[in-house]
Amino acid sequence: MSTTFVVDPPPAPSLPVVGDTRRFPVNRIYCVGRNYADHAREMGHDPDREPPFFFMKPANSIVTDGKDMQYPNLSKDVHHEIEMVVAIGKGGANIPSGKALEHVYGYGVGLDMTRRDLQGEAKKMGRPWDTGKAFDQSAPCAAITPASQCGHLDQGRIALLVNGQVRQEGNLNQLIWNIPDTIAYLSTLFTLEPGDLIMSGTPAGVGPVQKGDILEGTVEGLTPLKVKII
Ligand code: MN
């Protein structure tokens, strides 16, 4: 017997998949903090290889299929952070680094949009980052490319253009914690599940967006992301 609910359940978040009419179901969104040295420095931190740290966004913060992103309330300083997104296809806990890529379904391009002013206040007060990071529509994402098509990505240009101008630029080979090590460590903290996404960190050049801006994110070998701020 199928489950019935006392109120209509919200739509299940999902992402398009390159070359497939079926969709990738989004479960949880984990984000890695300060995973490129140049970005750690621009935020005033020493990029020594300390254990990575994580925060989360809700699955329903995904913006996809060419939809616009609404500039959020209660912030005057909303920043872009371009990131490569890792889509987990097979769950597990305590995954060894050498086996981590077997858990990856594919890769995509995403934005870890940030209310920098609210994040800054939270940091100062020692409070959680949710209001700065986990707000509505804070996770624009392009279609996922299956690893069976693009291979596993450990190098390649990652960049963000705002209104045609390059704002962020880096290379996946500059990640402090590479994808296998990130998955291995994350899976000691949380049992990973199919549908989990990992935003792998942003290169230097983060900065504010305005209403009307067109953001174009690229990772070499993946379907680009294009989103308008309205
Ligand atoms: Mn980020």
Side-chain angles (χ1 to χ4, degrees):
M1 206 178 96
S2 68
T3 308
T4 57
F5 297 97
V6 294
V7 296
D8 288 338
S14 67
L15 289 172
V17 175
V18 174
D20 204 317
T21 54
R22 298 171 299 171
R23 310 220 6 135
F24 183 85
V26 178
N27 186 37
R28 295 170 295 187
I29 308 173
Y30 293 101
C31 304
V32 189
R34 288 175 218 136
N35 205 14
Y36 288 80
D38 287 351
H39 173 62
R41 278 189 213 101
E42 77 179 348
M43 298 304 287
H45 294 272
D46 181 354
D48 275 352
R49 198 174 188 263
E50 290 172 277
F53 71 92
F54 300 94
F55 56 89
M56 294 176 78
K57 292 176 184 278
N60 69 359
S61 63
I62 290 281
V63 178
T64 194
D65 300 303
K67 294 203 176 81
D68 298 330
M69 177 195 165
Q70 190 127 20
Y71 195 97
N73 283 338
L74 299 179
S75 178
K76 292 190 162 58
D77 195 26
V78 175
H79 278 205
H80 52 74
E81 296 191 1
I82 186 70
E83 316 219 349
M84 182 172 76
V85 176
V86 181
I88 297 294
K90 191 174 96 180
N94 304 311
I95 298 166
S97 192
K99 298 252 180 208
L101 295 179
E102 296 171 18
H103 295 257
V104 175
Y105 171 77
Y107 299 90
V109 180
L111 280 162
D112 166 16
M113 298 302 291
T114 303
R115 290 194 281 213
R116 194 71 76 200
D117 40 5
L118 300 193
Q119 185 201 23
E121 265 171 53
K123 281 184 186 174
K124 211 160 49 191
M125 311 276 280
R127 288 180 178 164
W129 285 9
D130 303 51
T131 55
K133 287 289 197 179
F135 54 92
D136 295 350
Q137 303 196 330
S138 59
C141 282
I144 298 295
T145 301
S148 57
Q149 286 179 40
C150 62
H152 289 289
L153 304 183
D154 57 6
Q155 60 165 332
R157 184 172 182 264
I158 177 169
L160 180 75
L161 280 73
V162 179
N163 304 325
Q165 306 275 1
V166 178
R167 288 271 194 92
Q168 290 190 261
E169 204 171 10
N171 193 296
L172 299 176
N173 64 16
Q174 297 163 339
L175 282 169
I176 297 172
W177 285 81
N178 66 22
I179 302 306
D181 288 354
T182 301
I183 292 170
Y185 189 78
L186 183 62
S187 76
T188 64
L189 289 162
F190 305 98
T191 300
L192 296 182
E193 293 180 349
D196 287 344
L197 299 178
I198 304 169
M199 287 197 166
S200 54
T202 198
V206 300
V209 299
Q210 313 296 337
K211 281 183 195 172
D213 283 350
I214 308 277
L215 278 55
E216 293 174 273
T218 58
V219 171
E220 207 178 319
L222 299 179
T223 294
L225 169 67
K226 189 170 181 179
V227 63
K228 184 177 180 183
I229 312 295
I230 57 167

